[in-house]
Every structure is written in structure tokens, then in C-alpha cells.
Amino acid sequence: MIRALIVDDEEPGRVNLRYALSEHPGWNVVQECAGVASAQAALAGQAVEVVFLDIHMPGDSGLVLARALAAMPEPPIVIFVTAHERFALEAFEVHALDYLLKPVNDARLGAALARAAAMLDLRQRPVYGAALRAWADDEQASRGGAAPAFWQQLTVRSVGTIECVQLADVDWIEASGNYVNLHLAGRSVMHRLALSRLLPHLDPASFLRVHRSAVARIDQAARLDVAGDGVYQLTLRRGARLPVSERHVEAVRAAMDAR
């Protein structure tokens, strides 16, 4: 049985979620809490694998509990239950965290439960903790009025797994619709995030856009060639060849000269 804790200040929300979970064999709600303090007391007295956490609660918000859980070496999987605005939902998606919108949709609940169970089966809690901490750090910075620091890693979720990809290991990034393809030494990783959303979070001292569909790590740039009339090509140290738009060629030259 997967032991779950529900944290929501509204009793109807707790009851509805408990009844919805009762339709899924293998899930056991061990306790329901109306606030952060009672949830912390419950977690101190028993281990749980999954926490369903409301964000907006009087007193301490759910973010307080999320940050505390993020500090644990192997935190429980957190599924946020929220009526948050769109930008906050995007933040969850960027860090590969699951959320449910109120009122909870049965199909989305089932998908979230399946992902959580798969991560538990594959012993993903330590790497999940890194993803939760990255999200908590960004949230704390933005709520304090500070601009979040440039990202050092990307949290990539596939079926049942989470991988924290260090941006220092990425040679170049390729746009692919609503995804980006992260090219590392000897492999590539698809991540569900549009390049336009990723760009503001990349350190311009490390990454440079060379084409509408490509971003290169500056220290990987080896050679810039003219491939034709107004056509340029950047060769990276590991051999990849990237198209360079005419509008970006001077910036590429300047970045290479400045190293």
C-alpha cells in the first residue's frame, strides 16, 4: 500500500480527494490535515510516500511545508492540489512536479497516481528531492522579490523516472516544437519545454543563441565557417555542426574572441 497524507484547509476538498483515492486500489490515506503545523506533526509521527498538498491555506501556506519536505534526503512525492494561476502551473511543469487542479479531474488524478507509483517503484525519491528543492528555491526567490538565479540544471521526466541534467554537461540545445533536445556527450535528452521559455533562464555567459532553433554552450564552440552566401556553420568541440543565422554571427564571433 502507498501511504498518503492529504493537507487542505477546506474539509470538502479533503473529503472529495479521499473518496477519489478510495477508487484506486493500493492507496491508503493515513491522515488528513487542515494546516501545515498539523501536517508536520503527522509526518513526524509516521512515514508517508505521497503528500497531496494544497498551496493556498490560511496561516502558513503549502509552500512552507513543501520547502521543509524539499530539505529531506528522501522526501515524499508531493502532488500539489491547487487553483493556482497559469504561471505557477508552468513552474511545476518546468521542474517535473505533479499538480491537480481543483475540482480534481478523475483522469488527471489517475495519471498523477500512476507517475507517483512508478517513481516509488524505481526508487526515484532522492533525485525527486533535487527537483523539489530546485522548485522551492525558485519560488522562494520570486516571492522575495528577487529574480531567480540562472538555472544550473533541468529536471527531465520520462515514464516513471526523473533525471536532473546539469546544464554544465550540455553541449547544445535544439528546439523541437514544445520540446527541447538537450545534446550531451554521447547522448541526447528530450525535455518538455519550449526553447523560448528556456532562454531567459540560461546564463548568457555560458549559452548563446546561434539560430532560431539552436543554442550553443560558448566553451564548446571550436570553429565558425562560412558555408555559403550568408550561410554560416558552427563546429563544436565534440564534432556537432550547428547552423548559424546571419543575425547571430557577429555575436558568435565576439563570444569566441572573448574566451
Side-chain angles (χ1 to χ4, degrees):
M1 296 290 287
I2 296 175
R3 294 164 295 184
L5 176 71
I6 296 174
V7 186
D8 191 331
D9 64 297
E10 297 179 347
E11 184 178 6
R14 299 194 304 270
V15 171
N16 289 340
L17 185 53
R18 173 168 29 96
Y19 279 130
L21 286 169
S22 70
E23 300 295 321
H24 295 267
W27 286 80
N28 178 32
V29 177
V30 297
Q31 196 165 339
E32 299 171 24
C33 300
V36 171
S38 58
Q40 289 173 323
L43 290 166
Q46 61 189 328
V48 301
E49 285 79 41
V50 177
V51 175
F52 292 89
L53 178 60
D54 186 21
I55 293 290
H56 293 298
M57 294 185 289
D60 289 332
S61 77
L63 298 176
V64 173
L65 181 58
R67 282 196 290 269
L69 295 176
M72 298 170 61
E74 292 192 18
I77 305 298
V78 178
I79 299 176
F80 294 93
V81 184
T82 179
H84 246 256
E85 53 270 32
R86 184 172 178 268
F87 82 89
L89 303 184
E90 289 182 349
F92 294 146
E93 291 174 343
V94 162
H95 293 289
L97 304 178
D98 251 319
Y99 64 90
L100 299 170
L101 286 176
K102 294 181 177 181
V104 174
N105 176 277
D106 289 340
R108 179 147 185 115
L109 173 63
L113 297 183
R115 283 191 291 266
M119 280 193 285
L120 293 169
D121 287 343
L122 295 172
R123 303 183 185 278
Q124 289 281 296
R125 284 170 70 174
V127 70
Y128 174 83
L132 188 61
R133 283 189 292 276
W135 170 83
D137 289 344
D138 280 358
E139 282 293 302
Q140 189 168 21
S142 63
R143 287 173 181 271
F150 292 118
W151 289 347
Q152 302 301 311
Q153 67 180 29
L154 290 174
T155 308
V156 180
R157 181 170 62 193
S158 56
V159 179
T161 65
I162 282 183
E163 179 182 4
C164 292
V165 176
Q166 300 302 313
L167 283 168
D169 298 331
V170 175
D171 292 348
W172 68 286
I173 303 169
E174 179 183 16
S176 181
N178 290 325
Y179 288 76
V180 289
N181 198 7
L182 309 172
H183 293 271
L184 300 91
R187 68 188 183 107
S188 61
V189 178
M190 292 293 289
H191 181 41
R192 192 180 185 279
L193 182 68
L195 183 60
S196 60
R197 287 176 57 200
L198 174 59
L199 277 171
H201 302 287
L202 296 177
D203 186 348
S206 299
F207 287 94
L208 181 66
R209 191 167 198 171
V210 301
H211 189 270
R212 61 183 176 82
S213 64
V215 172
R217 188 170 179 84
I218 295 170
D219 63 11
Q220 282 295 312
R223 191 177 71 249
L224 179 65
D225 297 311
V226 179
D229 186 17
V231 179
Y232 302 87
Q233 185 179 78
L234 180 66
T235 302
L236 303 186
R237 297 187 187 280
R238 279 190 256 267
R241 294 187 176 93
L242 314 183
V244 178
S245 300
E246 192 167 12
R247 63 179 294 193
H248 295 300
V249 69
E250 290 306 320
V252 173
R253 285 196 181 111
M256 294 177 70
D257 290 344
R259 289 182 310 184

